[in-house]
């Protein structure tokens, strides 16, 4: 059981809700939802009862079709699950609840009854096909769980000090120094290779073998592929997912749907893109047609970029159809010799960290009509009624034409400008140049 920040949010929900709402914990498969929720039930309640709808018997499922007598319902539930429930001191967990929508609909009556607390966990849970025939309960509070962030990864490695140091350096705008920055970047690149899926981290700690870690990540990717095929027999979701590295490698201004799915355009597969985003396996960054504090009102649903929710999985997906020995990313990234054409790994890592910090992702492209040159701001953050443009660099950090042209165009809207790269913290006029490992503090 790794220490996860989501546990504190579960405690907050328990205290604030006091039985008035159920909690729906969403996240991709294998991100650790079931583990943390069951641990929460063990630690914070006198007893807990877990129903895993991926293996639940038909007899248990049948109970949810008649809630007219809740005394009988709870009596039967305790018998089938062999657990004792204590009023106002027991937790009932509906695991993989998306596989059995009637249980999710039952939340309304169960919460109103008030005897016990309820947590639902699910993956691919927001897809319309899974909820079209049920009434979504208003008594349901939803939170998302992400792969282990960098601080959680360091905790897993037994390091409780580095992240506090990084935060102090960032807040005081102080460089780490060349030698320390090299070590910090080496540690961060290890996180990029392994990722934040608990099984992959556990395998690394047990075996100290990248090949074994890569095998675990391949299993997870195959699991995602199986999920996609179950809900989409056309194969579109799998193709869109598998093509993410290739599309980022093109360095184009958007995900080019037509190059992945013949005769399709972005605006014709909006539902499929929404499904991928809802699965939490993918992060979508949308183009901001009007880059300002209200970017969410001006995002272009037909113009987007896709990233993987976990950069460790990304490093495996790039070479998924080949043997591990052909995956040059491990050697090149660990030795700090990543070629420019693999720079999109850094962009994916930034997308993952910004999302884990609660940011909705936007980017912006524009053209200089005089020079016919195209510029791109990799990410835009909304802060204090202003925006913060971010440019991610894998090399050539001494030039930042996109940031400069964007500032000329929207100077009155900008709060701070950031350039994210692999070197130590420094300033270039009003641009704060940050090493990758400081992105969580933006």
């Amino acid at each position: 059981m790794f220490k996860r920040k989501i546990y504190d949010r579960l405690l907050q929900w328990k205290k604030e809700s006091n039985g008035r709402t159920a909690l729906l914990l969403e996240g991709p498969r294998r991100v650790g939802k079931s583990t943390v929720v069951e641990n929460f039930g063990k630690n914070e309640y006198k007893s807990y009862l877990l129903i895993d709808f991926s293996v639940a018997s038909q007899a248990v499922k049948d109970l949810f079709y008649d809630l007219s007598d809740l005394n009988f319902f709870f009596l039967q539930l305790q018998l089938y699950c062999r657990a004792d429930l204590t009023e106002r001191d027991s937790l009932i967990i509906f695991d993989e609840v998306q596989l059995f929508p009637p249980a999710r609909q039952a939340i309304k009556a169960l919460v109103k009854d008030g005897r016990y607390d309820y947590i639902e966990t699910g993956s691919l849970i927001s897809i319309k096909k899974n909820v079209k025939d049920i009434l979504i309960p208003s008594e349901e509070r939803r939170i998302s769980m992400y792969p282990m962030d960098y601080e959680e990864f360091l905790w897993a490695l037994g390091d409780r000090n580095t992240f506090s140091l990084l935060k102090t350096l960032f807040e005081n705008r102080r460089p780490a120094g060349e030698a320390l920055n090299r070590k910090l970047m080496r540690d961060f690149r290890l996180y990029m290779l392994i990722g934040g899926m608990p099984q992959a981290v556990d395998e690394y700690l047990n075996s100290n073998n990248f090949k074994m870690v890569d095998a675990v990540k391949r299993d997870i990717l195959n699991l995602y592929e199986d999920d996609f095929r179950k809900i989409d027999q056309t194969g579109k979701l799998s193709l869109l997912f598998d093509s993410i590295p290739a599309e980022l490698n093109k360095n184009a201004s958007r995900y080019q749907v037509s190059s992945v799915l013949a005769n399709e355009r972005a605006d014709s597969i909006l539902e499929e893109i929404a499904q991928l985003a809802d699965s939490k396996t993918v992060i979508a960054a949308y183009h901001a047609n009007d880059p300002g504090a209200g970017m969410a009102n001006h995002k272009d649903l037909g113009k987007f970029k896709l990233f993987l929710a976990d950069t460790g999985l990304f490093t495996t997906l790039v070479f998924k159809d080949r043997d591990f020995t052909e995956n040059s990313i491990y050697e090149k990234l660990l030795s700090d010799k990543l070629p420019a054409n693999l720079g999109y790994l850094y962009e994916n890592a930034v997308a993952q960290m910004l999302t884990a910090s609660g940011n909705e992702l936007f980017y912006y492209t524009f053209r200089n009509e005089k020079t016919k040159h195209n510029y791109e701001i990799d990410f835009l953050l909304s802060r204090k009624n202003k925006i913060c443009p971010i440019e991610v660099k894998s090399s050539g950090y001494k030039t930042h034409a996109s940031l400069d042209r964007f500032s000329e165009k929207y100077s009155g809207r900008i709060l701070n400008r950031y350039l994210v790269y692999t070197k130590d913290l420094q300033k270039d006029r009003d641009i704060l140049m940050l090493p990758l490992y400081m992105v969580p503090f933006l």
Side-chain angles (χ1 to χ4, degrees):
M1 175 65 194
F2 295 118
K3 181 181 179 181
R4 303 299 299 272
K5 295 177 182 178
I6 199 78
Y7 195 98
D8 290 335
R9 296 190 65 184
L10 300 183
L11 284 172
Q12 182 182 4
W13 161 77
K14 183 177 187 288
K15 179 180 178 181
E16 293 177 352
S17 172
N18 195 28
R20 293 188 298 273
T21 63
L23 187 70
L24 172 60
L25 184 60
E26 291 185 292
R29 297 279 294 277
R30 301 293 172 86
V31 79
K33 300 184 301 296
S34 302
T35 301
V36 75
V37 169
E38 189 168 3
N39 198 56
F40 183 70
K42 289 178 181 176
N43 294 340
E44 309 301 333
Y45 293 85
K46 185 175 181 179
S47 66
Y48 75 96
L49 183 155
L50 185 147
I51 306 172
D52 182 350
F53 286 106
S54 67
V55 296
S57 68
Q58 190 59 47
V60 169
K61 293 179 179 178
D62 288 343
L63 296 176
F64 289 87
Y65 290 112
D66 184 4
L67 299 177
S68 58
D69 185 347
L70 287 178
N71 288 329
F72 181 74
F73 171 82
F74 289 125
L75 182 64
Q76 293 289 91
L77 204 59
Q78 290 173 90
L79 284 173
Y80 281 124
C81 298
R82 298 178 182 177
D84 295 323
L85 295 174
T86 303
E87 190 166 328
R88 295 308 317 135
D89 201 12
S90 287
L91 174 69
I92 297 179
I93 302 168
F94 295 163
D95 200 18
E96 301 293 355
V97 72
Q98 82 281 357
L99 299 176
F100 189 63
R104 190 176 176 196
Q105 181 169 266
I107 285 295
K108 185 176 184 67
L110 297 176
V111 169
K112 184 178 180 181
D113 173 72
R115 272 179 256 189
Y116 312 113
D117 285 353
Y118 301 88
I119 295 181
E120 309 159 84
T121 75
S123 310
L124 304 171
I125 200 162
S126 300
I127 295 175
K128 294 177 182 177
K129 295 176 185 176
N130 287 339
V131 297
K132 63 179 181 179
D133 297 323
I134 72 168
L135 178 68
I136 303 298
S138 59
E139 296 78 6
E140 184 181 83
R141 182 182 299 178
R142 297 168 63 170
I143 61 174
S144 294
M145 185 173 181
Y146 301 102
M148 297 167 73
D149 67 18
Y150 187 44
E151 185 174 18
E152 291 172 322
F153 178 78
L154 291 173
W155 289 343
L157 269 56
D159 183 348
R160 300 298 176 105
N161 302 313
T162 296
F163 205 76
S164 298
L165 168 65
L166 300 182
K167 186 176 182 180
T168 299
L169 292 173
F170 174 81
E171 290 175 345
N172 292 284
R173 304 295 192 263
R174 289 183 55 190
E178 186 176 343
L180 180 56
N181 177 69
R182 279 199 302 271
K183 178 190 180 301
L184 293 171
M185 275 305 307
R186 185 173 66 247
D187 294 343
F188 183 79
R189 290 194 296 270
L190 183 65
Y191 172 61
M192 290 176 63
L193 289 171
I194 297 169
M197 303 304 283
Q199 282 181 295
V201 176
D202 191 51
E203 182 59 48
Y204 168 73
L205 293 174
N206 289 329
S207 70
N208 193 39
N209 185 319
F210 279 138
K211 185 175 182 180
M212 301 291 288
V213 173
D214 195 72
V216 169
K217 291 190 291 177
R218 286 170 185 259
D219 289 343
I220 295 173
L221 290 171
N222 289 332
L223 184 68
Y224 291 171
E225 297 280 1
D226 290 342
D227 283 341
F228 294 146
R229 281 190 286 269
K230 288 175 186 176
I231 60 174
D232 172 44
Q233 285 74 39
T234 67
K236 289 181 180 179
L237 290 180
S238 294
L239 281 171
L240 290 167
F241 181 82
D242 286 343
S243 300
I244 289 174
E247 288 298 306
L248 286 176
N249 189 37
K250 291 178 181 178
N251 201 27
S253 63
R254 69 179 75 190
Y255 189 108
Q256 296 174 330
V257 172
S258 59
S259 67
V260 178
L261 301 175
N263 304 316
E264 296 279 12
R265 297 187 308 163
D267 55 6
S268 69
I269 60 158
L270 293 182
E271 183 174 347
E272 282 82 357
I273 299 304
Q275 288 176 337
L276 281 174
D278 283 343
S279 76
K280 310 299 182 183
T281 62
V282 166
I283 301 168
Y286 289 98
H287 189 270
N289 289 338
D290 184 15
M295 288 181 292
N297 299 320
H298 300 281
K299 66 181 178 183
D300 188 340
L301 294 177
K303 192 174 182 180
F304 53 84
K305 289 189 172 188
L306 297 180
F307 304 92
L308 256 64
D310 182 71
T311 303
L313 292 180
F314 188 95
T315 62
T316 294
L317 184 62
V318 174
F319 287 87
K320 180 172 175 287
D321 296 328
R322 283 177 268 171
D323 188 79
F324 168 75
T325 55
E326 297 180 59
N327 193 334
S328 59
I329 290 177
Y330 284 85
E331 179 184 352
K332 291 177 179 177
L333 190 59
L334 205 59
S335 62
D336 194 20
K337 295 179 180 178
L338 196 69
N341 67 336
L342 289 175
Y344 53 75
L345 262 74
Y346 293 132
E347 195 173 344
N348 199 102
V350 172
Q352 177 183 346
M353 289 186 285
L354 292 176
T355 300
S357 299
N359 296 286
E360 186 176 0
L361 299 190
F362 299 96
Y363 73 102
Y364 185 67
T365 59
F366 58 104
R367 182 180 177 88
N368 186 318
E369 293 302 331
K370 291 183 179 179
T371 64
K372 306 300 181 184
H373 189 84
N374 295 318
Y375 298 97
E376 179 176 327
I377 299 299
D378 295 312
F379 300 103
L380 286 168
L381 302 182
S382 179
R383 298 286 187 270
K384 299 179 181 179
N385 296 320
K386 296 277 189 176
I387 53 175
C388 300
I390 300 173
E391 187 171 348
V392 182
K393 287 278 194 178
S394 58
S395 60
Y397 65 90
K398 293 182 180 179
T399 61
H400 32 74
S402 292
L403 273 179
D404 294 337
R405 300 294 86 76
F406 183 82
S407 299
E408 293 171 4
K409 191 175 178 70
Y410 296 107
S411 59
R413 303 183 184 186
I414 296 174
L415 179 64
N416 296 309
R417 296 196 293 164
Y418 299 108
L419 187 145
V420 175
Y421 68 152
T422 61
K423 306 297 181 182
D424 203 357
L425 184 150
Q426 60 179 298
K427 292 198 72 174
D428 183 356
R429 293 169 294 167
D430 65 329
I431 298 176
L432 184 60
M433 306 169 76
L434 294 173
L436 283 147
Y437 50 75
M438 287 190 179
V439 169
F441 309 117
L442 293 180

